[in-house]
Amino acid sequence: MASAELQGKYQKLAQEYSKLRAQNQVLKKGVVDEQANSAALKEQLKMKDQSLRKLQQEMDSLTFRNLQLAKRVELLQDELALSEPRGKKNKKSGESSSQLSQEQKSVFDEDLQKKIEENERLHIQFFEADEQHKHVEAELRSRLATLETEAAQHQAVVDGLTRKYMETIEKLQNDKAKLEVKSQTLEKEAKECRLRTEECQLQLKTLHEDLSGRLEESLSIINEKVPFNDTKYSQYNALNVPLHNRRHQLKMRDIAGQALAFVQDLVTALLNFHTYTEQRIQIFPVDSAIDTISPLNQKFSQYLHENASYVRPLEEGMLHLFESITEDTVTVLETTVKLKTFSEHLTSYICFLRKILPYQLKSLEEECESSLCTSALRARNLELSQDMKKMTAVFEKLQTYIALLALPSTEPDGLLRTNYSSVLTNVGAALHGFHDVMKDISKHYSQKAAIEHELPTATQKLITTNDCILSSVVALTNGAGKVQQSLEKISKLEQEKEHWMLEAQLAKIKLEKENQRIADKLKNTGSAQLVGLAQENAAVSNTAGQDEATAKAVLEPIQSTSLVPDVESREDLIKNHYMARIVELTSQLQLADSKSVHFYAECRALSKRLALAEKSKEALTEEMKLASQNISRLQDELTTTKRSYEDQLSMMSDHLCSMNETLSKQREEIDTLKMSSKGNSKKNKSR
């Protein structure tokens, strides 16, 4: 039992381990995918850094160009301011300078327009780069949050697996401790079994020596022809092996044959009763060939269809009981083992009756609720309902007393010998009650059938089925009556037995008086040998009071003697005495042999039990070894799994730290670019 439990536990652990390994593979794959994604993100970051550097270089060059252009514009403006007063002094020179200044102004305007367009284009590129950088930053932030969430989930899974592994290890350690305790208990039991085996062997040896000595002593006493008597204690005589009486066996076989015939008739009648009841349900109050019967009657019909599997075992059980009673066996309640089987079959049939009783009562109620049911028919149905309840109760009562009669064959102390007669009387009373119930059922069902036959809707099939049911009920009633007649015969035989027992007691009293008179007369004559013989005869007569057959065997030679016993009568007395003594010693020897066989069987059983205990101990030891190996293997795998998860988590944390640093650097660069772009825009606005 323990090995099966351990095997089941190991199978569960193996299944959990396979599940955890599968989860571990999935987690490893996820970690590899995350590492690949992080590498791709690193490449993207490098590319973004390069593009940002290019843009920064372009911004620097443009800023330098703008500064140059601004300086040139300032110089041009200064020159223009200097050229204006000169134009006032000299119109001609002014006209020529104005033409020159207009040409220069147009050139400057064109150049300025180009620079403005180029500045706008650069502002657009910078704005697009800024928006793209913000988009990339948002994507990276969302990716970072996703990675952090996945890392937290992975950490939770790792913690759960670690906790589960720790619980499994603790459970295995507890199982190991329990197995060690159980192994120690088995070792103690094995030691106790060895000690008990040794004690039994010593007892068997002592008993064998004692019995051998007693047998030799008894044989020597018999050979020396020393008369003695040790049967004066009636409480010890009850331990004697029962004598084989062929006449008793024939009588018991005759009684068992009568019981078998009764059970066969009962089985046939019950089979017919249940079968025809099922047939009646199919045709009344609703014919199944025309319309569908009610679900209740369908279930009732289904149960009734199974009646043979419960009724036929009764006949088989009684047949086996009859076959077990032969002329060569000793038939008492302690040896009728087959009666227990018959009792079990009867219990099964009573369970069947209890199962169909509610459906039977409900079916009768449905008949009463039918429109075809008259008041008289309703009254008969109610009477039949009560009769069916009584029938089930009578069978239960009969089964109770038969189970009591079968009890001594399995538990010798379960039923006292003094209660045998009362139990048999109660069996007779139960059978008498069964006969009365069947008479009531026969009476009420015949009245019910007569009423139904007068109905206008009664079919020939219903009439035939009712007649068959009525015939089966009559057969049950007649069978119960034969058991009642047998019980009356048994009661008469019991009365005759009591009469002859009284006659035997009277004969015993007369024998004691005659022996006393003979002893008194022998005392007067001084014959000591005849006095001892008379005393032995008196002792034998006391033993005869315990056994009727022995009393009869002793009475016959004594009653044939005259007042003064002759030589032949003395020889007959001595012969009868020694024959009775030999029979008694033989029975004692048989009892001793049976006890020795019992002790030998018990010793063999103990030795087998010891061997089985040792085998179970070895098996448990092997299982403990396997369990310890599995525990160590699981601990190693758990350790390696934890290390791998810790390494992966450390790598992921380092990767996340590096990504955070990269993002912080990018934020700083973006901030510097923003500051520089703001400064440039302010300068351009001021210009």
Side-chain angles (χ1 to χ4, degrees), residues 268-405:
T268 304
L270 288 173
L271 286 173
N272 293 332
F273 178 70
H274 293 310
T275 303
Y276 290 127
T277 303
E278 178 189 0
Q279 184 176 344
R280 173 186 164 80
I281 292 170
Q282 299 292 333
I283 61 176
F284 189 81
V286 178
D287 193 350
S288 60
I290 300 173
D291 197 359
T292 304
I293 63 176
S294 65
L296 175 70
N297 283 333
Q298 289 179 2
K299 197 69 174 178
F300 186 28
S301 176
Q302 180 182 355
Y303 285 152
L304 286 174
H305 192 68
E306 303 171 355
N307 70 89
S309 61
Y310 296 97
V311 178
R312 291 197 183 278
L314 295 175
E315 182 179 358
E316 296 175 0
M318 184 54 69
L319 180 61
H320 292 160
L321 177 61
F322 174 73
E323 291 174 352
S324 66
I325 300 174
T326 60
E327 297 181 6
D328 300 330
T329 59
V330 178
T331 302
V332 290
L333 287 179
E334 287 80 0
T335 59
T336 53
V337 183
K338 298 296 182 180
L339 185 60
K340 179 68 175 177
T341 306
F342 176 75
S343 174
E344 292 174 353
H345 292 326
L346 183 58
T347 304
S348 177
Y349 176 67
I350 288 170
C351 293
F352 171 71
L353 288 180
R354 290 172 182 166
K355 182 170 68 174
I356 67 172
L357 181 61
Y359 294 95
Q360 198 163 15
L361 298 178
K362 290 291 184 181
S363 179
L364 290 172
E365 289 179 3
E366 283 190 3
E367 288 187 15
C368 294
E369 294 173 357
S370 176
S371 59
L372 302 174
C373 185
T374 62
S375 59
L377 188 58
R378 189 176 293 108
R380 299 291 84 77
N381 286 335
L382 293 176
E383 290 173 351
L384 281 175
S385 298
Q386 298 298 324
D387 293 338
M388 292 302 171
K389 292 179 182 178
K390 292 179 182 179
M391 177 181 170
T392 305
V394 166
F395 267 108
E396 290 176 351
K397 184 177 180 181
L398 182 62
Q399 189 273 335
T400 301
Y401 293 119
I402 290 178
L404 286 174
L405 288 177

Side-chain angles (χ1 to χ4, degrees), residues 496-512 540-556 559:
E496 291 179 359
K497 180 181 176 182
E498 293 292 335
H499 171 72
W500 287 112
M501 288 293 290
L502 291 173
E503 291 291 334
Q505 290 179 0
L506 292 173
K508 177 184 174 183
I509 293 170
K510 291 180 181 179
L511 178 62
E512 290 177 353
V540 172
S541 65
N542 289 328
T543 305
Q546 301 295 328
D547 194 343
E548 183 179 353
T550 309
K552 186 177 179 181
V554 176
L555 280 172
E556 289 177 355
Q559 289 175 356

Side-chain angles (χ1 to χ4, degrees), residues 494-675:
E494 290 290 338
Q495 292 176 0
E496 291 179 359
K497 180 181 176 182
E498 293 292 335
H499 171 72
W500 287 112
M501 288 293 290
L502 291 173
E503 291 291 334
Q505 290 179 0
L506 292 173
K508 177 184 174 183
I509 293 170
K510 291 180 181 179
L511 178 62
E512 290 177 353
K513 290 181 179 179
E514 186 68 21
N515 286 331
Q516 186 66 32
R517 190 176 64 80
I518 292 171
D520 294 338
K521 189 172 182 180
L522 289 174
K523 282 181 181 178
N524 295 329
T525 58
S527 177
Q529 183 178 1
L530 291 177
V531 171
L533 183 59
Q535 292 176 353
E536 291 295 331
N537 290 335
V540 172
S541 65
N542 289 328
T543 305
Q546 301 295 328
D547 194 343
E548 183 179 353
T550 309
K552 186 177 179 181
V554 176
L555 280 172
E556 289 177 355
I558 294 297
Q559 289 175 356
S560 64
T561 59
S562 61
L563 295 177
V564 180
D566 53 1
V567 177
E568 293 180 358
S569 63
R570 280 186 294 169
E571 290 179 354
D572 291 335
L573 287 172
I574 295 170
K575 181 180 179 182
N576 291 329
H577 170 72
Y578 280 117
M579 288 298 293
R581 187 59 185 159
I582 289 170
V583 170
E584 186 178 356
L585 289 173
T586 304
S587 64
Q588 291 179 0
L589 182 61
Q590 290 176 354
L591 180 62
D593 290 337
S594 64
K595 286 184 179 179
S596 62
V597 170
H598 173 71
F599 280 119
Y600 178 70
E602 187 177 359
C603 291
R604 287 189 63 185
L606 287 173
S607 62
K608 289 181 180 179
R609 186 177 176 187
L610 179 62
L612 291 174
E614 290 178 351
K615 289 182 180 179
S616 63
K617 178 186 174 182
E618 293 176 357
L620 289 173
T621 305
E622 293 295 330
E623 290 175 357
M624 285 178 63
K625 290 181 180 178
L626 292 174
S628 61
Q629 292 176 0
N630 290 327
I631 289 170
S632 61
R633 181 171 57 82
L634 289 172
Q635 287 178 348
D636 295 336
E637 291 179 357
L638 178 62
T639 305
T640 54
T641 306
K642 286 177 67 178
R643 288 177 180 173
S644 63
Y645 278 127
E646 289 174 356
D647 295 338
Q648 292 174 3
L649 288 173
S650 62
M651 291 174 62
M652 290 177 68
S653 62
D654 295 337
H655 176 62
L656 290 173
C657 291
S658 62
M659 289 180 67
N660 289 326
E661 292 176 357
T662 305
L663 288 173
S664 62
K665 289 179 180 179
Q666 289 181 358
R667 291 193 190 98
E668 292 176 356
E669 291 176 356
I670 289 168
D671 293 335
T672 54
L673 288 173
K674 286 181 178 180
M675 294 296 292

Side-chain angles (χ1 to χ4, degrees), residues 419-448:
N419 296 329
Y420 287 177
S421 60
S422 62
V423 174
L424 289 171
T425 304
N426 289 323
V427 170
L431 291 173
H432 184 72
F434 176 65
H435 180 247
D436 294 337
V437 171
M438 293 313 301
K439 285 195 295 185
D440 293 338
I441 292 175
S442 177
K443 175 183 175 183
H444 297 150
Y445 204 89
S446 61
Q447 295 173 357
K448 172 182 170 64

